Amino acid sequence: ISSSNEILDIVSYEGDEINIIYDSKFFIDSLKVIDTENVKIEFPKERKVAILKNIDDDSLILIIAPQKA
């Protein structure tokens, strides 16, 4: 099992602190598909998934499920 830490420049954040484990490869692959420097990542309260969106084009939405700890 490998691990990865990434520091992101957060433009804005609303809500409580969260701690969720995701497979970094899924995030990297998703960011390659979105192909922009400005990505919106949403963490709906009712689910632990991450929703990735290109903030300039809402035609593509990617959903990443968390890993079990």
Side-chain angles (χ1 to χ4, degrees):
I1 295 177
S2 63
S3 65
S4 173
N5 290 317
E6 187 68 30
I7 298 173
L8 305 173
D9 292 328
I10 305 296
V11 176
S12 68
Y13 177 78
E14 297 174 16
D16 298 328
E17 182 178 324
I18 58 173
N19 187 12
I20 306 171
I21 300 170
Y22 295 99
D23 185 325
S24 60
K25 182 177 180 335
F26 289 140
F27 258 94
I28 292 168
D29 290 345
S30 297
L31 293 171
K32 287 179 184 177
V33 170
I34 293 176
D35 193 29
T36 185
E37 291 190 22
N38 298 309
V39 176
K40 181 176 185 178
I41 303 174
E42 298 176 354
F43 301 95
K45 289 183 180 182
E46 65 277 358
R47 295 184 177 86
K48 300 290 187 184
V49 299
I51 301 173
L52 284 69
K53 300 178 181 179
N54 179 333
I55 64 169
D56 300 319
D57 176 12
D58 62 358
S59 66
L60 178 64
I61 298 173
L62 300 167
I63 298 174
I64 301 175
Q67 290 184 317
K68 293 184 179 181

